[in-house]
């Protein structure tokens, strides 16, 4: 990044950060977020004192649960989702790792280990290994098709020890842009159900795959409806454009209200020991948008527009590569989704990946 900043070439392009930017290269600020900020600044009761809860305001957490799990979900209706505000999805993954390490029963009799797609966000493995939790990789990307290698992925998950913890992204997968189809998610859910696996979903880019929040969260809700153990780590950094505000949420689906309350006790103890009360500015913006019908509708439309613009940029890039006669089949650019494109092709000397480095 230092080399990039010091390079004065007019055509340089930063491909390092997962940030949705304008054509001018600036971080995009959503109009719904601007309106929510204006209302917040005009509120005479708003203050900078510590908030009452260590795990985020009740209104923020309840709005988040409704957004991700759906208003009509039985786990929402029965108040079975424990939740805590976190420092982005990284903080949510970290808190999930601590709680699983200390309380996930199947790990009491064997060394804790999570299973992560070979091509995944590079920090996923480090979050767990830094807590002395093992991390092993699952086959994911197929360099022959430049898409998801579903058959090998499904077989690998079936062969894992029962009650394994598997990390998946809900959509617009980083770094491949390759997601299972709804039918493939249903097949994976059947394997999870049969083998007793726990799914740790990372929702970093909801809405960026299809433009529709409901469609992009289908896999999460499918697993929950089938009573598969689910932990959700999510961030509002991308879909609200609140990158530096670090607004995240960790949710754990419990069997009943009593266990949900016990889980939230552990969440409060964890927050107390690691961070204290969460920052309030970004979460209040999210809370106010999700609890206002007009602002939420405007925000959802803005997410659709961003997803549509990402698709347009993909088509434009492929068109220019084809016009230049660039060797190779560049259809992967338009077949993949979201902010990331994975363009490693198969060669006679490369059949597997030994590390998650070398992304393009």
């Amino acid at each position: 990044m230092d080399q990039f900043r010091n390079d004065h070439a007019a055509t340089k392009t930063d491909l390092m950060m997962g940030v949705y930017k304008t054509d001018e290269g600036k971080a995009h600020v959503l109009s719904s977020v601007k309106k929510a900020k204006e209302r917040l600044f005009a509120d005479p009761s708003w203050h900078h004192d510590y908030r009452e809860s260590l795990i985020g305001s009740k209104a923020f957490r309840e709005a988040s649960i409704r957004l991700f799990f759906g208003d009509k979900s039985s786990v929402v209706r029965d108040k079975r989702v424990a939740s805590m505000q976190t420092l982005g999805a990284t903080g949510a993954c970290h808190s999930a790792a601590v709680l699983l390490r200390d309380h996930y029963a199947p790990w009491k009799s064997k060394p804790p280990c999570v299973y992560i797609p070979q091509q995944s966000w590079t920090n996923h493995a480090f979050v767990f290994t830094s807590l002395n939790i093992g991390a092993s990789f699952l086959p994911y990307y197929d360099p022959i098709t430049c898409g998801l290698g579903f058959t090998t992925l499904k077989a690998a998950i079936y062969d894992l020890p029962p009650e394994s913890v598997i990390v998946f992204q809900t959509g617009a997968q980083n770094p491949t842009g390759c997601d299972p189809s709804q039918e493939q998610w249903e097949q994976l859910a059947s394997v999870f159900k049969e083998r007793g696996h726990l799914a740790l979903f990372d929702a970093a880019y909801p809405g960026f795959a299809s433009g529709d929040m409901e469609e992009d969260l289908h896999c999460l809700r499918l697993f929950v409806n089938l009573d598969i153990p689910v932990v959700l780590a999510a961030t509002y950094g991308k879909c609200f454009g609140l990158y530096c505000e670090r607004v995240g949420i960790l949710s754990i689906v419990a069997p009943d209200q009593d266990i949900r309350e016990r889980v939230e006790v552990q969440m409060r103890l964890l927050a107390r020991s690691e961070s204290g009360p969460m920052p309030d500015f970004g979460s209040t913006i999210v809370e106010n948008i999700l609890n206002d019908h007009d602002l939420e509708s405007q925000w959802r439309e803005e997410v659709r527009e961003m997803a549509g613009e990402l698709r347009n940029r993909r088509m434009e890039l492929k068109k220019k590569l084809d016009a230049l006669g660039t060797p190779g089949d560049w259809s992967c650019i338009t077949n993949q989704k979201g902010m990331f494109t994975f363009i490693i092709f198969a060669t006679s000397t490369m059949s597997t990946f030994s590390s998650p480095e070398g992304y393009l």
Side-chain angles (χ1 to χ4, degrees), residues 70-88:
D71 283 326
K72 298 179 181 179
S73 171
S74 61
V75 299
V76 176
R77 183 182 64 247
D78 297 339
K79 302 184 184 302
R80 289 172 44 202
V81 183
S83 65
M84 65 182 294
Q85 185 182 334
T86 61
L87 296 175

Side-chain angles (χ1 to χ4, degrees), residues 75 84 190 200 312 318:
V75 299
M84 65 182 294
S190 296
L200 199 169
N312 291 338
K318 180 181 182 299

Side-chain angles (χ1 to χ4, degrees), residues 151-171:
T151 301
T152 54
L153 171 65
K154 178 183 173 183
I157 292 174
Y158 190 88
D159 288 340
L160 294 178
E163 299 177 318
S164 291
V165 176
I166 302 166
V167 179
F168 268 127
Q169 296 175 53
T170 55

